[in-house]
Amino acid sequence: MSGPNGEPPLSLGRGEEEEREDGEDHNGFGEAEYAAINSMLDQINSCLDHLEEKNDHLHARLKELLECNRQTRLELQQLSEGEDGENDTQRPEPDT
């Protein structure tokens, strides 16, 4: 059986001949333990997927905010430059 991302199953260096008749390996883990570990890993994977989705959503929102702030800054800069130009034309020239 392949892993959740299609990778090949990992071999722990033991052959199937080392499995006991009662379904337990020499390390003491049986089918129930492996099923429980697999279930926990599936839950962790689901949580990580959810966090990745939230991260992607936050990243998109921050990019929108950055662009909005950039536009606002440009508009304020244009307004400021326009007012400076108007003030320059309204100032009387100093007498020399």
Side-chain angles (χ1 to χ4, degrees), residues 54-71:
K54 288 179 95 172
N55 186 48
D56 291 344
H57 177 73
L58 285 172
H59 186 259
R61 294 285 306 199
L62 286 171
K63 284 178 74 172
E64 290 173 11
L65 181 61
L66 179 63
E67 183 59 32
C68 180
N69 284 341
R70 196 175 281 146
Q71 289 293 328

Side-chain angles (χ1 to χ4, degrees), residues 87-96:
N87 289 340
D88 288 344
T89 58
Q90 293 176 358
R91 287 187 198 149
E93 293 292 321
D95 293 332
T96 51

Side-chain angles (χ1 to χ4, degrees), residues 76-93:
L76 288 173
Q77 188 177 13
Q78 289 172 351
L79 284 173
S80 175
E81 289 173 356
E83 288 176 359
D84 287 346
E86 289 175 11
N87 289 340
D88 288 344
T89 58
Q90 293 176 358
R91 287 187 198 149
E93 293 292 321

Side-chain angles (χ1 to χ4, degrees), residues 6-73:
E7 63 270 350
L10 295 177
S11 172
L12 299 176
R14 297 187 194 112
E16 289 183 27
E17 65 275 1
E18 290 188 34
E19 190 172 315
R20 295 181 185 171
E21 290 180 14
D22 60 1
E24 289 191 15
D25 291 333
H26 284 283
N27 61 8
F29 291 118
E31 290 293 321
E33 287 85 359
Y34 282 117
I37 292 169
N38 194 35
S39 175
M40 285 187 267
L41 289 173
D42 286 343
Q43 290 175 356
I44 291 169
N45 193 37
S46 294
C47 290
L48 290 173
D49 287 343
H50 182 70
L51 284 173
E52 185 177 11
E53 288 176 18
K54 288 179 95 172
N55 186 48
D56 291 344
H57 177 73
L58 285 172
H59 186 259
R61 294 285 306 199
L62 286 171
K63 284 178 74 172
E64 290 173 11
L65 181 61
L66 179 63
E67 183 59 32
C68 180
N69 284 341
R70 196 175 281 146
Q71 289 293 328
T72 303
R73 189 186 79 239

